[in-house]
Amino acid sequence: MSESESAVYDVAVIGGGVVGCAVLRELSRYDLKLLLVERESDLAEGISKGNSGVIHAGFNVPAGSLKAKTNVAGLGLIYALAAELGVPHKKTGKLVVALEDEGRSRLEELMAEGEKSGVPGLEIVDAAAIGRLEPLARGRWALHSPQTGIISPYEFTYALAESAWRNGATVMLEAPVGAVGFVGGLFRLSTPKGTFAARRVVNSAGLFSDEVARLAGSGDFQILPYRGEYLITDKDCGLGLAMPVYPVPPRDDPGLGIHVTPTLEGHIILGPSAEPVGDKRDLASTREVAARLKAEAARLMPGLARVSFIHSYTGIRPKLVDPGGFGDFVVAESVVRPGWIDIVGIESPGLT
């Protein structure tokens, strides 16, 4: 579609991932002229496509953080929203499993933190309950989260964008923002499809949100890309997994550990790993990591040791801190550029 340079939008959203499309849909409920620009040839081509598809409950992050607050609030909204939009999803529950007694104290910490944040229904269960809840899993103790679920992240993204489009929003693909100007009280976004003027801008550019913020002189964020590799079983592998199964999260790891997650189509996903990479587009899959995924997943679920895998894929996390630290979500209006809002460092719970 072509757009006139003279058109002025009330809000322009940069980034067609799940967060950008959710912002666009929410804004489209109001009488506003809206534009979303996405650098790739389709929506959900960045972080969202590499998401595990887990609807998180919000107990894995510190209470009081923006990440915890938005996760728990999102948990209360996402199931009804997915149903309204016709997006495939399922409330499955989830187990965080400790293989030895020593892991129980860490589970108690997670439960306490989740309860502070208002996560409903958390309980610590023993080996017998683990077997009843998920017969494929093994462990001494587990934290059971009954509100956790799974969803198709890319179908969710498409549905949000389509809803916004039906409400009158414009969605433009293959339109990376190369420069940002500010003239006459308007932001001017330069893209290969033209220059677009907007009264306000929401920067939800995912892995590139730090670079887009710098174009506007908004902030000195730095995204640290962490590659996560996955393996996928055949639907007919002979194992039927009912719910996501996670290990006790390591304190010194940038992720939540290698976990096992069912898909809505009946596959089982192993992963992700978490390795820093220098290139935000480095989506390589490696033999070494594949071997580690299999070995670690088999500790939680011994049956996985005998199945074959039909595919691998990779996603990139947009971390704001080095391993061992905590990087909260950033959702903030620029101090130097009022009307410009940065949404930065949105890792996997951002889907929820």
Side-chain angles (χ1 to χ4, degrees):
M1 63 187 72
S2 61
E3 287 291 328
S4 167
E5 185 174 332
S6 62
V8 175
Y9 293 90
D10 292 302
V11 185
V13 178
I14 303 173
V18 66
V19 174
C21 291
V23 169
L24 188 72
R25 179 184 183 272
E26 183 66 18
L27 291 174
S28 75
R29 297 171 63 192
Y30 303 89
D31 185 16
L32 298 169
K33 186 175 177 62
L34 301 171
L35 170 69
L36 182 143
V37 291
E38 163 57 39
R39 66 180 293 147
E40 303 294 346
S41 59
D42 202 354
L43 301 172
E45 282 294 300
I47 301 165
S48 299
K49 187 167 73 171
N51 192 284
S52 299
V54 174
I55 296 173
H56 287 277
F59 56 82
N60 277 311
V61 291
S65 65
L66 186 60
K67 191 177 286 189
K69 290 175 181 176
T70 54
N71 194 159
V72 174
L75 181 68
L77 299 171
I78 192 169
Y79 288 110
L81 177 58
E84 180 184 345
L85 294 174
V87 178
H89 67 286
K90 184 178 182 181
K91 186 182 291 186
T92 58
K94 166 180 163 179
L95 291 172
V96 181
V97 174
L99 295 176
E100 307 293 342
D101 285 333
E102 291 74 18
R104 174 162 181 155
S105 61
R106 181 72 173 119
L107 297 179
E108 290 172 346
E109 290 175 15
L110 291 175
M111 186 168 74
E113 207 68 28
E115 289 175 342
K116 285 182 198 173
S117 296
V119 179
L122 297 175
E123 61 173 343
I124 292 178
V125 299
D126 61 14
I130 293 171
R132 289 194 300 271
L133 290 164
E134 179 45 74
L136 295 178
R138 62 181 288 266
R140 184 68 187 90
W141 302 98
L143 177 61
H144 178 222
S145 169
Q147 296 300 313
T148 299
I150 56 176
I151 192 169
S152 169
Y154 33 89
E155 290 187 67
F156 191 30
T157 304
Y158 300 156
L160 290 164
E162 181 175 313
S163 177
W165 173 75
R166 289 180 179 275
N167 285 342
T170 297
V171 176
M172 187 168 296
L173 304 174
E174 297 180 335
V177 175
V180 177
F182 189 74
V183 181
L186 297 173
F187 294 98
R188 296 188 178 273
L189 309 179
S190 297
T191 80
K193 297 291 182 72
T195 298
F196 304 102
R199 295 182 176 89
R200 291 174 175 81
V201 176
V202 177
N203 167 23
S204 183
L207 285 169
F208 302 94
S209 56
D210 56 342
E211 299 173 32
V212 171
R214 284 195 289 274
L215 290 176
S218 170
D220 191 25
F221 305 108
Q222 183 182 5
I223 293 293
L224 304 173
Y226 272 75
R227 186 175 66 198
E229 299 181 38
Y230 294 87
L231 290 174
I232 307 174
T233 69
D234 194 332
K235 286 189 291 187
D236 301 322
C237 70
L239 300 179
L241 182 64
M243 66 178 64
V245 178
Y246 283 55
V248 175
R251 297 181 187 276
D252 58 349
D253 191 279
L256 297 176
I258 289 169
H259 47 269
V260 185
T261 305
T263 71
L264 292 159
E265 296 79 14
H267 304 275
I268 298 176
I269 299 175
L270 277 60
S273 56
E275 291 87 28
V277 290
D279 183 354
K280 292 178 179 179
R281 293 183 176 276
D282 183 357
L283 297 176
S285 295
T286 64
R287 188 184 304 274
E288 294 78 14
V289 171
R292 180 157 57 86
L293 293 177
K294 293 176 185 178
E296 293 193 24
R299 295 181 66 220
L300 292 173
M301 205 166 293
L304 287 171
R306 57 179 172 78
V307 304
S308 58
F309 298 87
I310 60 170
H311 191 54
S312 63
Y313 72 99
T314 301
I316 304 285
R317 294 181 181 90
K319 285 204 164 289
L320 280 172
V321 294
D322 287 315
F326 173 70
D328 204 359
F329 289 170
V330 172
V331 181
E333 185 172 16
S334 171
V335 175
V336 297
R337 287 283 182 229
W340 178 281
I341 297 171
D342 290 303
I343 302 181
V344 185
I346 310 300
E347 298 184 65
S348 58
L351 175 71
T352 312

